[in-house]
Structure formats: structure tokens, C-alpha cells
């Protein structure tokens, strides 16, 4: 029997689900290998209420989100945090740095208390997460690696070295040499250093490598007159829930 | 007569979360509305205190489907506020990537989200087996749109090379030439798309309303123009948008509702088609004829047909814009233009796939002090409620399943993007 796969979205832009639909070359073959039983953004039919794999896009930001994710966890064998909002909170965590009452009043004025919100949480702060697909948005390559691994029952190969490694391989001019701050030295690779390759800086959307203080390219930073701490401060845009952003 | 309780909870095949609620008692509709239950996202508050170079990185994340549109509108606002002028090549390339996003979004909405309703399928998934050629064509066209975005800005969700003042990397002349050839090779798929949608029977419906869109004397407006109302027959400048558009809170929605000169208006492909039909590419006008859509169309169900017309237009214009860039003195190493001041107010206004999008920022010393965002789906919400109230009594004697389907089709027609506007959809018959 084909594994039953479901997609759920929480607080997010739904861009990672779009990235799944963007697997134009592989989509029809994937639909042959798995049975998609729930995908509200693309399907009306719900063919099962139990899942082998549930992909969770988005952060947990309301009381009803908390109840809903717990209920999904009870119905699925494997739960995958799908994209930065789910794995590390992503940009949704920016609001946590201001008093929530101020945030609600600023956007909704006098009616602020009508809109429920709790401090943004990544999915594993509420329920057990079995696998993560990183990035804002997720990369097609890594999405396929995780999906194929789950189908084959093997551990997906996710890098735990910094973006700098991939950036060097791409033969890019170092972003620091262009006078910009870059999160490449402490951010998990796997994106192929796409942002630096398009003339921009790494914004840390894939989260920190396991031990940034020992693994970060300290020599490189020293050469540029920067400390690991200074680079980590920039992490509040996508990785506001991590210890280093506090 | 049985009382009707329709409650479509978490409407499917739309972006975000909404419920359609229709209640009747003794044959009278007592309640008909679209509830927006998406979690609020607080983007305006998240932008406060952000530095001018990183604002578009955050606003792009408002919506995965309109990531290019949000990025460009955001950049327009920052550039106006800080006195940054774009070079001609940056300006042309921004407009070009806009065509690609319309193409991507319209293909997704017409083929994947609305077409299943016209052929009686619950989703595109059974169609993959029943009509594989159609699904493969949709995927090819979607991929084409992604290829254009990748060449110009690195990717579609979320674009990388679009930065204040221009581009952090320009595509090479070789890449642009190859892109043009690739686009042209999909011309037959565009014709087949028009033919397919011309076979669909659109429900009869009429409700006179107001249409708001950008209007530009020199082109079918997407990237820039005045904010125009079909009621006043006049346009206002970006900075004066509040003189036309008013926002308000309602109890049944976490997304603000908007009004212009009356209780509700339509934004999006149908508004643009009605307001700017004359400026469509001749091939798009031919497509409109084949699709039997004429301005002014007051049939909300015709949204997807207007999108198909725009798909044809954007396909042709993308090629024309690449030609313009190739013919000019193009500098692949051009650096982004710099700000000429660090404080001020700017308003970006663009036509993104779902309609008019407004980003209003006030900067102080390079950091955002105040931000207001008005999202197309928010603009359409009041009109969706008005359409539900208009349609419900007319179909009240139909079987429950049919009422539910027509209500869903009505709301889906708008191509609502709920997570953007909360900031949308499910039919609740309660």
C-alpha cells in the first residue's frame, strides 16, 4: 500500500507547499509513489484521517494552532517540520522581541484583543518532530532527499557544515569582501549558497549549524575583524528562537 | 421548508484558512458571510525598526505565491521614501519578472484550483490520471514561469536579486537570449490553455459593483500607475491612496475589510480586465473573444477567464520586454542606486496576481518607523460577502451539495490569498 501523506499549514506564507508543487518534473512520479490524503491548499477531498507522513508548514502562534498540531501528532506516524517557520520559527519570531500587547495594538488598534496570538513557537516546542526540511523556502533538492529517504526508510543526508563551504565551491567572491555582513559562516549549508550566488548575503534562513562557536570559520571572521558573536546578532531575522538571538 | 445550515469549514483549494457560512430559516437567508480564521501575522509590527536594506526580505515572506509582487511593492515604497531612482534596465527587468509571477499564479489558480470545479473533480490529482496531457501542460507552464523568475532573480519563492536601487545580480545577455527562446517554445501551450477554458460552462451571475485597479496611460498596468476606480473614473497617486481606499475591522474576519466609493469593490484580474481592456496585447484580446468575456463583466465567476486572458498578455509582454532589454545599452555589472536621503514616506502600489497591493512605509534615519500594508484579498473581502448575500437567496432551493459547490466556486473565483490578508477560506453551512 502506498504511504499516506498529508500537508498542513500553520502560520506561514504557504510558499513551501508551493515549492512542493514546483517539483514540476517529479510531481507526477511522486503522486505515483505516495497517496496524498490531505492538502487543503490544492485538494478538496480528504481520503484518510490517519497519515504515515504529515508535513507541517508554519509556526505555532495561536491557542488553536497548539490544539491542532497536537491532534495531527496523534494521527501521524512521522511528523516532518517543513520549512523555516516550522523548524526555527522563521520571521514569525520577530514579533517575540516586542511586548505582544503592543504588537496586537499596533496592527489591530482598539480591536486588538479580538485577535488571539501567543509567542511564536517552532513545531518541536509543542510536539515531537521526526524530521526537518530546512530553509525559507525549502530547497527542491533537500525536499526530494527527505521524501525519498522516508520512503526508503533511511536517514536523510542533511549537511551540518556552514554555507561558506558551498559558497567557496560556487566560486563566489566572499560577501564580507563586498563590505556586507553575512550569516554564511554559522548557517547550515544545503541551499548551494544560492543567496550569495545571486549577489546577496546569507540571511540564515536554514538555522544554525550544531556548534557555531567551534565550527564557524573563525579564521575567516578574524581576518575580517569580526567575532562569532557579532555575526550571531544578525540572527534575529529568521532564527529569533535560538539561544544566540536572546 | 427545511432550514439551511451550510458551513464549509476551512475552504479548500485556496491559499489560507476561511469558512463560508450560510444560514436560512423558513426559506429566508438569515446569515451569509465569509469568515476569515487565519492566524494574524502582525507584519506591520515586525517591520518597525527594520533597516532599509532588509525590509523586502521580510515582506517577501507575506506570501509564497506573490513573493515577487510583495518584494517589488516593498522596494517601490522604500525607494520612494529614500529618494532612490531606478536605472532603465532595472525598471524594465522588474516589470519583466512581474509578468512571470502573474503567469505562475494564474496557471496555478486556473488549472489547479478552479478547473477541477468545471469538470466535476475534487482536485487536480484525479485529473493527473484522467487528463494527463492537461496536467502536464499546466506543470510545463508553471515551470516556465519559475524559469523566468530564476533567471532574473534566483528563484520565485522568495526572490534574491531584487534589492533597493536595482539588482544584486543581473542576468547575462546570453541568459536573457536563452530565456527568450525558452519562452517562445511554449506558445502552443498558451493557445491550448485558451481553448481548454473556452470549453468550460461558467455559472450565470450578475451583480453590479465597483472595480479598483492601477491604470497607466502607456500600458496595461501591473508594476505602476495611478489607483483608479471605475466609479469615479479617476485615478489617485500612490501617496494619496487613503483618499480612495478605507480599511475597517469586522467581527468575522482576522483580515481587515476595504471599501472605496461604495460598500465593496473588486480588485484583481477581473478589475484590471474591465478597467484596462483596451491596453491588452492583440493576442490577449483574441483570447478574450474565444473565452466570451467582454468589458465590463459583472460576473464574478469570470475571474479565471480574465486570468487566462492576462496569461496570454503576460506571455507576449515578457518576450517584448526581454527584447527591449536586449536592444538597450545593458550593463550586467551595474550596481544598485543609492539612497539620496534616509528619512521620508513612500507608498508602493502594484498589481500583483490577486489585485492591488499597497505598502506604505515611513522611514526615520534609515529605519522603519511606521508601516501599513493593504493586501488584495483584504480588498475583495467585503465584495465576497456581498456576493454570498446576493447568490444565496437565488440558489436556496438547490440541493445542499450544489449550494455548497456554487458558494465555494464563487469564493475560489477571487483566487483569495488568506494568509496574505491576515491575514482566508472554507464554506460553513451552520
Amino acid at each position: 500500500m502506498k504511504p499516506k501523506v498529508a500537508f498542513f499549514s500553520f502560520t506561514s506564507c504557504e510558499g513551501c507547499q508551493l515549492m512542493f508543487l514546483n517539483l514540476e518534473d517529479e510531481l507526477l512520479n511522486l503522486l505515483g509513489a505516495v497517496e496524498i490524503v490531505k492538502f487543503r491548499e490544492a485538494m478538496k477531498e480528504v481520503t484518510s484521517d490517519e497519515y504515515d507522513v504529515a508535513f507541517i508548514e508554519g509556526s505555532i502562534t495561536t491557542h488553536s494552532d497548539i490544539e491542532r498540531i497536537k491532534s495531527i501528532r496523534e494521527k501521524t506516524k512521522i511528523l516532518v517540520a517543513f520549512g523555516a517557520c516550522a523548524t526555527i520559527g522563521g520571521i514569525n519570531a520577530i514579533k517575540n522581541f516586542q511586548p505582544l500587547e503592543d504588537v496586537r495594538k499596533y496592527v489591530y488598534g482598539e480591536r486588538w484583543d479580538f485577535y488571539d496570538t501567543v509567542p511564536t513557537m517552532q513545531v518541536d516546542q509543542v510536539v515531537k518532530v521526526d524530521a526537518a526540511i530546512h530553509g525559507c523556502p525549502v530547497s527542491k533538492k533537500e525536499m526530494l532527499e527527505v521524501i525519498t529517504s522516508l520512503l526508503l526508510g533511511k536517514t536523510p543526508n542533511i549537511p551540518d557544515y556552514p554555507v561558506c563551504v558551498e559558497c567557496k565551491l560556487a566560486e563566489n567572491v566572499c560577501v564580507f569582501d563586498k563590505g556586507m555582513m553575512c550569516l554564511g559562516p554559522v548557517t547550515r549549508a544545503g541551499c548551494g549558497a544560492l543567496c550569495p550566488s545571486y549577489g546577496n548575503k546569507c540571511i540564515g534562513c536554514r538555522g544554525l549549524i550544531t556548534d557555531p562557536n567551534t565550527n564557524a570559520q573563525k579564521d575567516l571572521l578574524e581576518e575580517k575583524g569580526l567575532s562569532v558573536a557579532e555575526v550571531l546578532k544578525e540572527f534575529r531575522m529568521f532564527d529569533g528562537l535560538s539561544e544566540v538571538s536572546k | 421548508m427545511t432550514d439551511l445550515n451550510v458551513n464549509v469549514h476551512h475552504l479548500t483549494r485556496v491559499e489560507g484558512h476561511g469558512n463560508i457560512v450560510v444560514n436560512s430559516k423558513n426559506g429566508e437567508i438569515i446569515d451569509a458571510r465569509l469568515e476569515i480564521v487565519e492566524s494574524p501575522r502582525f507584519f506591520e509590527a515586525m517591520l518597525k525598526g527594520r533597516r532599509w536594506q532588509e525590509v523586502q526580505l521580510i515582506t517577501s515572506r507575506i506570501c509564497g505565491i506573490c513573493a515577487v509582487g510583495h518584494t517589488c511593492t516593498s522596494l517601490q515604497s522604500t525607494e520612494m521614501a529614500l529618494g532612490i531612482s531606478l536605472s532603465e534596465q532595472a525598471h524594465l527587468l522588474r516589470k519583466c519578472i512581474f509578468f512571470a509571477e502573474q503567469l505562475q499564479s494564474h496557471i496555478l489558480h486556473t488549472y489547479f484550483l478552479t478547473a477541477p470545479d468545471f469538470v466535476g473533480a475534487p482536485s487536480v490529482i484525479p485529473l493527473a490520471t484522467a487528463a494527463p496531457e492537461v496536467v502536464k501542460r499546466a506543470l510545463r507552464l508553471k515551470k516556465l514561469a519559475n524559469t523566468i523568475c530564476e533567471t532574473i532573480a534566483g528563484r520565485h519563492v522568495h526572490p534574491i536579486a531584487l534589492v533597493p536601487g536595482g539588482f544584486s545580480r543581473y542576468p547575462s545577455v546570453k541568459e536573457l537570449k536563452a530565456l527568450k527562446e525558452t519562452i517562445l517554445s511554449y506558445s502552443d501551450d498558451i493557445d491550448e490553455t485558451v481553448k481548454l477554458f473556452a470549453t468550460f460552462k461558467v455559472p450565470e451571475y450578475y451583480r453590479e459593483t465597483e472595480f479598483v485597479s492601477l491604470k497607466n496611460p502607456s500600458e496595461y498596468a501591473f508594476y505602476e500607475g495611478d489607483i483608479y476606480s471605475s466609479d469615479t473614473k479617476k485615478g489617485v497617486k500612490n501617496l494619496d491612496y487613503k483618499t480612495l481606499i478605507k480599511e475597517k475591522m469586522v467581527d468575522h474576519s482576522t483580515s481587515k475589510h476595504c471599501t472605496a466609493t461604495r460598500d465593496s469593490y473588486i480588485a484583481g484580474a477581473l478589475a484590471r480586465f474591465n478597467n484596462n481592456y483596451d491596453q491588452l496585447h492583440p493576442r490577449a484580446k483574441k483570447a478574450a473573444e474565444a473565452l466570451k468575456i467582454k468589458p465590463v463583466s459583472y460576473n464574478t465567476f469570470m475571474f479565471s477567464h480574465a486570468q487566462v486572458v492576462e496569461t496570454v498578455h503576460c506571455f507576449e509582454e515578457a518576450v517584448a520586454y526581454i527584447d527591449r532589454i536586449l536592444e538597450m545599452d545593458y550593463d550586467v555589472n551595474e550596481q544598485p542606486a543609492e539612497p539620496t536621503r534616509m528619512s521620508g514616506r513612500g507608498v508602493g502600489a502594484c498589481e500583483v496576481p490577486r489585485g492591488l497591493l499597497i505598502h506604505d512605509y515611513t522611514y526615520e534615519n534609515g529605519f522603519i518607523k511606521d508601516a501599513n500594508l493593504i493586501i488584495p484579498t483584504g480588498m475583495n473581502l467585503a465584495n465576497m460577502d456581498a456576493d454570498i448575500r446576493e447568490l444565496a437567496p437565488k440558489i436556496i432551493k438547490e440541493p445542499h451539495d450544489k449550494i455548497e459547490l456554487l458558494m465555494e466556486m464563487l469564493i475560489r473565483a477571487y483566487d483569495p490569498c488568506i494568509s496574505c490578508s491576515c491575514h482566508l477560506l472554507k464554506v460553513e453551512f451552520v
Side-chain angles (χ1 to χ4, degrees), chain A residues 58-116:
Chain A
S59 314
I60 308 302
T61 69
T62 63
H63 290 97
S64 70
D65 281 355
I66 297 174
E67 295 314 308
R68 191 155 70 98
I69 190 70
K70 284 183 179 165
S71 142
I72 294 167
R73 178 69 262 189
E74 281 168 15
K75 296 174 190 157
T76 187
K77 289 182 190 145
I78 295 170
L79 189 144
V80 183
F82 186 42
C85 292
T87 58
I88 55 174
I91 57 141
N92 296 312
I94 294 175
K95 74 168 194 210
N96 292 8
F97 295 103
Q98 303 170 41
L100 274 197
E101 197 177 311
D102 293 357
V103 168
R104 294 162 80 183
K105 282 181 174 161
Y106 184 65
V107 180
Y108 292 106
E110 283 173 6
R111 306 285 304 275
W112 66 277
D113 59 345
F114 180 71
Y115 303 95
D116 178 39

Side-chain angles (χ1 to χ4, degrees), chain A residues 196-224:
Chain A
S197 300
Y198 275 83
N200 226 316
K201 58 180 186 176
C202 172
I203 50 180
C205 75
R206 296 176 49 82
L208 287 172
I209 41 175
T210 309
D211 190 350
N213 278 305
T214 52
N215 287 331
Q217 308 206 327
K218 277 189 185 162
D219 295 346
L220 170 96
L221 295 175
E222 225 165 77
E223 199 184 303
K224 316 290 174 203

Side-chain angles (χ1 to χ4, degrees), chain B residues 289-309:
Chain B
E289 208 179 313
L291 292 159
K292 297 188 177 59
I293 174 169
K294 279 189 255 181
V296 173
S297 171
Y298 289 107
N299 184 351
T300 307
F301 290 99
M302 291 300 266
F303 247 100
S304 49
H305 288 56
Q307 289 178 331
V308 173
V309 172

Side-chain angles (χ1 to χ4, degrees), chain A residues 9 12-14 21-22 24-25 40-45 91 98 106-108 111 114-115 136-137 198 200, chain B residues 12-16 45-46 61 64 122-123 142-143 146 150 154 157 160 168 249 251 254 256 370-371:
Chain A
S9 71
S12 68
C13 75
E14 300 199 2
L21 296 175
N22 282 352
E24 289 103 357
D25 293 331
R40 190 199 41 75
E41 191 178 8
M43 294 165 65
K44 181 172 176 169
E45 66 272 35
I91 57 141
Q98 303 170 41
Y106 184 65
V107 180
Y108 292 106
R111 306 285 304 275
F114 180 71
Y115 303 95
C136 179
Y198 275 83
N200 226 316
Chain B
T12 57
R13 299 197 338 253
V14 296
E15 203 281 339
M46 296 199 290
R61 271 77 185 175
S123 79
K142 223 173 78 51
K143 189 178 176 184
N146 279 322
E150 281 159 23
V157 192
I160 299 164
S168 60
M249 317 276 246
D251 283 344
T254 51
K256 294 174 187 172
D370 259 316

Side-chain angles (χ1 to χ4, degrees), chain A residues 34 75 204 237:
Chain A
V34 301
K75 296 174 190 157
M237 186 166 5

Side-chain angles (χ1 to χ4, degrees), chain A:
Chain A
M1 225 171 70
K2 294 199 275 188
K4 292 183 167 62
V5 172
F7 286 85
F8 297 92
S9 71
F10 287 80
T11 304
S12 68
C13 75
E14 300 199 2
C16 289
Q17 290 184 62
L18 180 59
M19 287 303 285
F20 178 77
L21 296 175
N22 282 352
L23 292 168
E24 289 103 357
D25 293 331
E26 297 87 3
L27 199 57
L28 292 178
N29 285 334
L30 269 173
L31 293 180
V34 301
E35 184 193 355
I36 299 194
V37 297
K38 192 170 165 68
F39 192 165
R40 190 199 41 75
E41 191 178 8
M43 294 165 65
K44 181 172 176 169
E45 66 272 35
V46 176
T47 51
S48 172
D49 260 329
E50 300 228 316
Y51 329 113
D52 292 302
V53 185
F55 288 92
I56 309 297
E57 180 183 17
S59 314
I60 308 302
T61 69
T62 63
H63 290 97
S64 70
D65 281 355
I66 297 174
E67 295 314 308
R68 191 155 70 98
I69 190 70
K70 284 183 179 165
S71 142
I72 294 167
R73 178 69 262 189
E74 281 168 15
K75 296 174 190 157
T76 187
K77 289 182 190 145
I78 295 170
L79 189 144
V80 183
F82 186 42
C85 292
T87 58
I88 55 174
I91 57 141
N92 296 312
I94 294 175
K95 74 168 194 210
N96 292 8
F97 295 103
Q98 303 170 41
L100 274 197
E101 197 177 311
D102 293 357
V103 168
R104 294 162 80 183
K105 282 181 174 161
Y106 184 65
V107 180
Y108 292 106
E110 283 173 6
R111 306 285 304 275
W112 66 277
D113 59 345
F114 180 71
Y115 303 95
D116 178 39
T117 190
V118 298
T120 296
M121 290 179 280
Q122 61 201 42
V123 177
D124 67 6
Q125 288 178 288
V126 188
V127 294
K128 180 174 167 271
V129 166
D130 304 298
I133 308 182
H134 301 280
C136 179
V138 294
S139 83
K140 287 189 190 179
K141 196 176 142 216
E142 203 162 273
M143 196 169 20
L144 285 172
E145 165 70 19
V146 171
I147 295 172
T148 343
S149 298
L150 291 174
L151 289 175
L152 296 171
K154 71 177 188 79
T155 308
N157 183 17
I158 308 289
D160 195 12
Y161 46 81
V163 170
C164 288
V165 174
E166 293 178 337
C167 203
K168 287 248 176 358
L169 285 172
E171 298 179 356
N172 291 321
V173 173
C174 179
V175 177
F176 290 104
D177 285 344
K178 297 200 236 170
M180 292 155 76
M181 174 68 94
C182 182
L183 293 180
V186 292
T187 300
R188 180 192 299 277
C191 52
L194 200 61
C195 292
S197 300
Y198 275 83
N200 226 316
K201 58 180 186 176
C202 172
I203 50 180
C205 75
R206 296 176 49 82
L208 287 172
I209 41 175
T210 309
D211 190 350
N213 278 305
T214 52
N215 287 331
Q217 308 206 327
K218 277 189 185 162
D219 295 346
L220 170 96
L221 295 175
E222 225 165 77
E223 199 184 303
K224 316 290 174 203
L226 294 163
S227 68
V228 174
E230 277 176 293
V231 179
L232 292 179
K233 260 197 284 184
E234 289 282 306
F235 248 78
R236 281 192 177 193
M237 186 166 5
F238 278 88
D239 211 0
L241 299 178
S242 69
E243 279 302 313
V244 300
S245 302
K246 287 182 177 138

